[in-house]
Amino acid sequence: KDRVMIRNSNFQQKILETAQNTLYCKELYSNLSMEATHLWSAVPHIVCGNRIVCHLFPGAALCIELCHVPQIDAQTRSNNSAIVAPSQATPSAHHSYSLEHALHQLLWERITTVGGPTPRPVTVTLGASRRRVAAGPRAYRAEHCTSLQQSTTTIIESIIERAKFIVMRENCTKLIDDLSKSINDPLITAHWSGLTGVSEASLRLYITSPLYDQIYLTAVAITVRPEQILVATRDGGGVLHFGYELAPLRRFICQLLCEHNCATVHSLAKLNGWTVLQYDSLWKSRSMRAKISIQSPDDRYALRFSSGSDIENPIIELSNRESREMTRDDSSLLEEIAPELFNTVHQFQRLEWKSLQGKCIIQTVDLLMSSLSSVQ
């Protein structure tokens, strides 16, 4: 008898939990549908049947559906192998687990702050805030209570805000991953902060050159929010604001890569004793290419390095500043660096990048500077 009573109590508890869950989901959906119809938006929200469609960004929408999945016991599942439990079902391709976790946090905050301490009936209203509940005993006027109710953020607004944040964060992550995979020199490293909020995330973007990461480092702080991305550079040029379109952010990161190459060449020239003749930064010249011109310690040779849209194939130009022609030893030495360059006088001539030695961009420039410095 004790076993039968325990089984009956468990069965009744399961039925009670199912009924409470059904009532809570229906009330929550009715509240969300009512808020969606009254919420203003440039693109109106659609409420049709058991589905709510909210427009987030161009090409991105949030779909909320009320689904009823019957529970299947173990005996029925063993008899019919074609039935799959909801937890074992294949998730949709558009399902976002991070958004699901954020919505669980949101509902838990609403439940714990609206109606007082738990447990309480699941049919308690979800629209009123703590200030609205406390308005009655304090004898607030109806106008004041209405203003408090209108100033409170609704559930659908919180859901849309967190959904926008998830979309912005995923797009930013995908953009950085695509750039790091497509561009191998210089290297792009992203460090996401583990202490992120429900509607804000931050990361550090580091740009380094292979084998020369100790010479120069470009660091950028990026903050992702529901409707914008904030970028702060190390040079103190202020905070840049980017919207949901990723093309401006991609263009800015590519400009950072070009600027990093020229800044690394600038630091390398100082280490090797070369003189910097001209340095045209992207931020100062407002051009599409970053350029730097350097001169050898003996004033015999000059190099001009420029990095543009083709980041992995910069332009290197060499000039022999002496009026006399090169000797045979000079020519044999330069033949190993650039076979097409002989007897160049008073003008820059472009070097073929594929004919230069070096595993990366900065190492190629370093070897070229060392070879020119050793020419007698």
Side-chain angles (χ1 to χ4, degrees), residues 158-175:
S158 302
I159 293 176
I160 292 176
E161 181 183 3
R162 301 196 181 191
K164 287 183 177 180
F165 168 70
I166 296 297
V167 172
M168 293 287 287
R169 188 180 63 182
E170 290 180 353
N171 291 342
C172 184
T173 304
K174 183 179 179 181
L175 172 64

Side-chain angles (χ1 to χ4, degrees), residues 78-99:
S78 61
N79 295 335
N80 190 359
S81 59
I83 299 178
V84 181
S87 60
Q88 298 177 356
T90 304
S92 175
H94 302 283
H95 183 76
S96 176
Y97 291 99
S98 55
L99 177 60

Side-chain angles (χ1 to χ4, degrees), residues 218-233:
T218 301
V220 179
I222 300 178
T223 303
V224 182
R225 292 181 179 177
E227 295 185 354
Q228 62 179 351
I229 298 177
L230 307 180
V231 179
T233 56

Side-chain angles (χ1 to χ4, degrees), residues 120-133:
R120 60 180 177 276
V122 296
T123 57
V124 66
T125 178
L126 298 175
S129 64
R130 183 180 298 178
R131 292 183 300 175
R132 181 65 181 87
V133 174

Side-chain angles (χ1 to χ4, degrees), residues 17 59 116 127 133 149 182 232 245 251 259 267 287 292 308:
E17 291 178 356
V133 174
Q149 183 68 22
S182 59
E245 295 182 357
R251 190 183 309 112
E259 186 68 23
S267 301
S287 62
I292 182 173

Side-chain angles (χ1 to χ4, degrees), residues 325-346:
E325 294 184 354
M326 297 182 185
T327 62
R328 178 174 297 180
D329 296 336
D330 298 345
S331 300
S332 61
L333 182 58
L334 285 179
E335 187 178 2
E336 300 177 359
I337 307 172
E340 76 284 357
L341 180 61
F342 293 103
N343 302 328
T344 305
V345 181
H346 294 302

